[in-house]
């Protein structure tokens, strides 16, 4: 078992409490979920509150389980305050990217901490790129940066294909938030891990080039 820092416990508790309220009160859930038309009408708080709501227990568990494993890496490098900043910046970055790409879809809605958690995951990858990660159906662990790049490319494909009921845009935005904030807090990574920084930037560049070309 990893030692849970008070900052991680606080985030998990906020997600659990808000999500449980949403499970039991659909009026509350609908009022605070991410929704394009409501945000454009002035309810900008949804860009933050939606990150603490979840569809169901399994959705909540998956996000908190991922946070449990990667939060200690970021806290170990930066401490609790910068960890919380990365989390919140990533949450907001996920919402902003979703708003940017779905601004003409008034009924587009989303919930979940996935964007914020992806930001923590990508921060951990930048800070510890040699970390080995395993995923289902692949019998050997792979370097974290390989899976990070692969997931961003998968997210681009998911955004293009509109595959499944998954907030690919928020995931990608959260990853960008974690990537950018980590480099802001630790700019020496540009020198010490130049290749990793460049490789992780490639999918981000691809996304915005495709967006500029109108292909997403």
């Amino acid at each position: 078992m990893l030692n849970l820092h008070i900052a991680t416990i606080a985030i998990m508790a906020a997600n659990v409490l808000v999500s449980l309220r949403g499970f039991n009160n659909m009026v509350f859930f609908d009022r605070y979920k991410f929704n394009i038309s409501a945000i454009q009408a002035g309810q900008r708080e949804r860009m933050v509150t939606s990150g603490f709501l979840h569809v169901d227990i399994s959705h909540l568990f998956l996000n908190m389980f991922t946070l449990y494993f990667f939060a200690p890496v970021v806290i170990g490098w930066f401490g609790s305050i910068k960890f919380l900043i990365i989390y919140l910046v990533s949450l907001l970055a996920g919402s902003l990217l979703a708003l940017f790409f779905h601004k003409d879809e008034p009924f587009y809605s989303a919930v979940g901490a996935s964007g914020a958690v992806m930001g923590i995951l990508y921060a951990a990858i930048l800070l510890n790129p040699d970390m080995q990660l395993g995923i289902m159906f692949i019998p050997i662990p792979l370097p974290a940066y390989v899976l990070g790049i692969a997931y961003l490319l998968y997210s681009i494909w998911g955004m293009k294909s509109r595959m499944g009921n998954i907030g690919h845009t928020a995931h990608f935005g959260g990853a960008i938030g974690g990537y950018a904030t980590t480099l802001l807090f630790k700019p020496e990574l540009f020198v010490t891990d130049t290749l990793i920084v460049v490789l992780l930037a490639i999918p981000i560049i691809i996304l915005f080039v495709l967006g500029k070309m109108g292909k997403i």
Side-chain angles (χ1 to χ4, degrees), residues 145-146 149 152 179 193-204:
Y145 71 89
V146 172
I149 293 166
L152 286 187
Y179 173 87
D193 290 280
T194 306
L195 180 60
I196 300 300
V197 171
V198 170
L199 287 175
L200 286 173
I202 290 173
I204 298 172

Side-chain angles (χ1 to χ4, degrees), residues 34 36 39-40 47 50 91-105 108-110 159 167-174:
F34 184 94
I36 292 292
I39 292 170
Q40 290 174 336
M47 297 178 71
S50 59
L91 191 164
L92 189 56
S95 291
L96 285 170
L97 196 71
L99 183 63
F100 176 77
F101 276 101
H102 300 286
K103 59 183 179 296
D104 297 324
E105 303 169 47
Y108 181 87
S109 298
M159 291 167 66
H168 295 288
T169 316
H171 293 182
F172 204 110

Side-chain angles (χ1 to χ4, degrees), residues 8-37:
T8 311
I9 293 172
I11 288 176
M12 287 182 169
N15 274 278
V16 169
L17 291 172
V18 175
S19 292
L20 288 175
R21 177 74 185 276
F23 295 159
N24 296 303
N25 187 332
M26 285 307 298
V27 173
F28 178 86
F29 184 90
D30 288 338
R31 172 59 184 82
Y32 292 107
K33 70 182 180 181
F34 184 94
N35 176 264
I36 292 292
S37 61

